[in-house]
Amino acid sequence: MRVAVETVAKGAAQAAVTGNTAQPGTGRVTRTDTGTGSVTRTDTDTDTDTGTGSVTRTGTGRVAEAAAGKSAAPTASCRAARPRADALRNRERIVSAARELFVEFGPDVALDDVARRAGVGNATLYRNFPDRAALTHEVVLAVTSRTTLRAEEAVAAESDPFAALSRFVHAAADERIGALCPMISGVFDKDHPDLLAERDRLEEAVAGLVSRAQSAGRLRTDIAVGDVLVALSQLTRPLPGIACQGIDRFTHRHLQLFLDGLETPARSELPGSAATLEDLRRS
């Protein structure tokens, strides 16, 4: 009897030191500490702590996780951090709708109208863009980036420098580059690094188109990059105070008249001086 009592007492003392407890029965937890620091939990609620600082849980409804002194982030949380495909589509629809409405009515258009044109609720719009400045920033960034891409595609597609310039002008109209003009005085950070980088890329691409066409003797020499960009912005948005419906069908017709006037030999002498990029920044 004394041996049995001493054995039980000794086992209890060891469990207190090592953290081992034994509780038989369904729904009970049995812990065995071997000094390694790891715990294994099974469907029978049995944990094994081996002292490695990691925890492994197995069985139905259990989650495996590595700790090393910290709890690992759940896999579900990692997935939730990535934007869902439908969320990205909603964002793209909002930017596209805003681009169209900014061209038609200017950057002060009601944001409720933007949400309605995009086919999303107001809550979705504000979740993506908390204010007008954030939405305007994204529209300017998107239009500038896409227009630069059109310039690069035109160079790759056309061996004739003037044909490349013409291709770009028509493609830029389809990108609604006119949306950029009324935003020059808009309330948003025009000096944001992202916007400055995209603006520089666009100006460099258009300057290259103009320079190559002039070097080939296909483009009159009394115009500059600014002339092309100003004409594009003016010819690709409707006159103030009129509805936009039906206006778009004339855009490419008028752009072609403009392009015909750019070809050499020049049929007239232009008044004033060529519009440079520096002129546009100062205006």
Side-chain angles (χ1 to χ4, degrees), residues 257-271:
L257 289 172
F258 163 68
L259 288 167
D260 288 348
L262 294 182
E263 281 195 275
T264 56
R267 293 171 177 79
S268 63
E269 182 177 348
L270 296 176

Side-chain angles (χ1 to χ4, degrees), residues 7-9 54 76 79 81 95-96 98 135 202 215 238 242 262 275 278 281:
T7 302
V8 171
S54 64
R79 291 199 194 98
V95 172
S96 180
L135 178 58
L202 175 60
S215 297
I242 66 172
L262 294 182
E278 288 72 21
R281 294 194 189 106

Side-chain angles (χ1 to χ4, degrees), residues 66-80:
K70 296 181 181 178
S71 297
T75 304
S77 297
C78 295
R79 291 199 194 98

Side-chain angles (χ1 to χ4, degrees), residues 95-205:
V95 172
S96 180
R99 179 185 62 170
E100 299 296 325
L101 289 172
F102 286 176
V103 171
E104 297 174 25
F105 302 107
D108 295 328
V109 64
L111 296 186
D112 289 353
D113 291 339
V114 174
R116 191 176 302 110
R117 175 74 67 92
V120 301
N122 288 354
T124 299
L125 186 148
Y126 286 108
R127 186 164 55 248
N128 283 276
F129 305 103
D131 53 35
R132 184 180 300 275
L135 178 58
T136 303
H137 172 96
E138 192 66 22
V139 171
V140 172
L141 192 64
V143 172
T144 306
S145 176
R146 289 169 63 91
T147 303
T148 301
L149 181 59
R150 299 291 88 80
E152 295 169 349
E153 290 173 348
V155 172
E158 302 288 351
S159 58
D160 177 10
F162 191 83
L165 178 63
S166 299
R167 185 187 186 99
F168 162 72
V169 166
H170 286 288
D174 290 335
E175 291 298 340
R176 311 297 294 216
I177 194 174
L180 300 180
C181 187
M183 286 182 245
I184 298 300
S185 59
V187 181
F188 73 106
D189 184 6
K190 296 182 286 293
D191 295 323
H192 190 283
D194 290 347
L195 295 179
L196 293 178
E198 286 300 335
R199 185 197 69 185
D200 290 345
R201 287 184 61 235
L202 175 60
E203 292 177 351
E204 181 180 355

